[in-house]
Every structure is written in structure tokens, then in C-alpha cells.
Amino acid sequence: MPRPSARIAITVVASLVPMLALAGSVFLNGVKIDGVTNTRFEKATVRIDAEGNIYIDAPGYAARVTTVTPTPATPTPPATPSTATPPAAAPLDAGVVAQVPAPAAPAAPSASPGRITQRYWLVTEQTTPGMTDFDIDVYVNSRWLRRLRNNEDQVVVDITSQLRPGANAVTLIARKQAGGSRRSTSPGNVFKVIIGEGNEGGGNVMIDTPLIRFQKTAADVQDATEEFTLTTR
């Protein structure tokens, strides 16, 4: 189906301005997202009820109310870990915090980087917490950021302050927890880590541009280390 022209899109937005000014709350697929800004939804249906509440029905997008976790104190980093080749990552399914139709590639490094103008978030998602038996350590520019434990609920962390303008080295180390019987051996039980550009408002975090994806499943048995380059802008 052909995409609408820029002229049509501008006309629609202009016609919504008087109604938005009177709106009560905004809901994305039934989830309240008051305060979220700078977000565009493709192929969406907008409904406005008698109280002025706006309902956005957008297949392929999802929102979740989250609590931002503060960054813990930084311990001394361990020795450089050995590198193992991780299994190929499966495609990201719909809605980590918000899924975009086509993830963008990292921006090219700036010749003279200045300050960071975007916000960067780390988000986890598990099919069922505790089933993969993997804990994941996160390092940014060789400094330990935190450990993501397989038995904890979703983690959402603003990591912008840990990044520098331009290229940043991000290392993710997954370790299988030994001891006892395995809770699951199914590849359908997945522990995912996504890092990307996003924004926060009204208690919601939206990932607009996923830049890093890392995952382990309950079927995996080997520890794995993967290094990424995250270029800020």
C-alpha cells in the first residue's frame, strides 16, 4: 500500500491540533502514555471519546508502564573476559517497550563530536523471568554498569550519563548459572537486552531506535560475550 504524501500528513496533523488541545489523556493500544513526546506512529487509527481522551490503535507498537531503575555504584572491572561466539540472535518480536517497523542502523561517528543530544536506554524483556538461567553483565567503555539477573522483572535504565559523544564500546557477558536442574531447555524462553534511543514521559519509556540487541535462550548452555559499538548523537 503506498505511503501517504507529506502534504496529506501535514494536513491531517493540522486538523488534529484543536482536538488535541482539549484532550484528556492519550492511550496507545489501551495503555496510557500521557507525557510521551516526539513519537510518530505509522498505520495508526486515532479515536477521540466524549471526554476528550485520545485512543491510538497502532498494530506493531506497544507501551508499558515502567519504573526507571537508578544506576548502582560502579565496582572495579574484572580482567578482560574470554570471547566466545554467541548464537545468532533471533529477530526481535513486537513490543519491548515500543517496537519500530524497521530498526535503524547506528549513526555514523561524527568527525568532531560535541555533546549528546539524545537519551539512551537499556531495557530487558524475558518470556518468563528465571527460565533461561543466564545472568548478563553490562560494561560501557570498559566500566561495569550493572548485572541483569534472569530472575528479576523488567529492567529499564537511562544510560545516557555513562556514554560519551561519538563511539562507545558496550560489552555484554552472559553467564549460565550452575547448580541444580535446569528450569527449561526450550528456545522459546528468551532473555533479551535492547539498548537504543528513546524518551520518557508520564512514567513510560519509549524506545524509538533500537541500536543494540543481545539475547540468550533456555536452550543455550555456553557462556557468551559480545562487543558492540554504540555511536551517540
Side-chain angles (χ1 to χ4, degrees), residues 9-23 48 54:
I10 292 171
T11 301
V12 172
V13 171
S15 66
L16 288 177
V17 169
M19 291 184 286
L20 290 175
L22 300 175
I48 304 176
I54 298 177

Side-chain angles (χ1 to χ4, degrees), residues 16-178:
L16 288 177
V17 169
M19 291 184 286
L20 290 175
L22 300 175
S25 293
V26 182
F27 298 83
L28 171 62
N29 295 331
V31 179
K32 189 174 182 180
I33 60 170
D34 287 352
V36 174
T37 60
N38 298 325
T39 302
R40 177 177 178 176
F41 301 102
E42 301 287 348
K43 299 179 180 179
T45 300
V46 178
R47 298 178 290 111
I48 304 176
D49 65 14
E51 286 72 34
N53 296 308
I54 298 177
Y55 296 87
I56 302 172
D57 298 321
Y61 294 81
R64 183 173 299 138
V65 178
T66 59
T67 301
V68 177
T69 305
T71 303
T74 304
T76 303
T80 302
S82 59
T83 301
T85 302
L92 179 66
D93 55 354
V96 174
V97 176
Q99 183 189 2
V100 293
S110 173
S112 301
R115 62 186 183 88
I116 299 175
T117 59
Q118 304 297 313
R119 292 182 70 181
Y120 293 84
W121 300 84
L122 179 150
V123 178
T124 66
E125 183 178 87
Q126 298 197 61
T127 307
T128 303
M131 299 301 288
T132 64
D133 290 324
F134 276 100
D135 286 349
I136 301 174
D137 284 319
V138 182
Y139 293 83
V140 177
N141 295 322
S142 300
R143 298 187 64 182
W144 186 82
L145 178 64
R146 66 166 293 156
R147 176 166 295 173
L148 307 171
R149 299 189 180 276
N150 78 99
N151 60 355
E152 64 184 334
D153 293 331
Q154 185 182 47
V155 174
V156 180
V157 182
D158 184 345
I159 65 169
T160 309
S161 63
Q162 308 299 316
L163 302 173
R164 59 197 178 201
N168 293 263
V170 177
T171 303
L172 300 174
I173 305 173
R175 295 186 175 90
K176 194 77 170 182
Q177 302 307 298

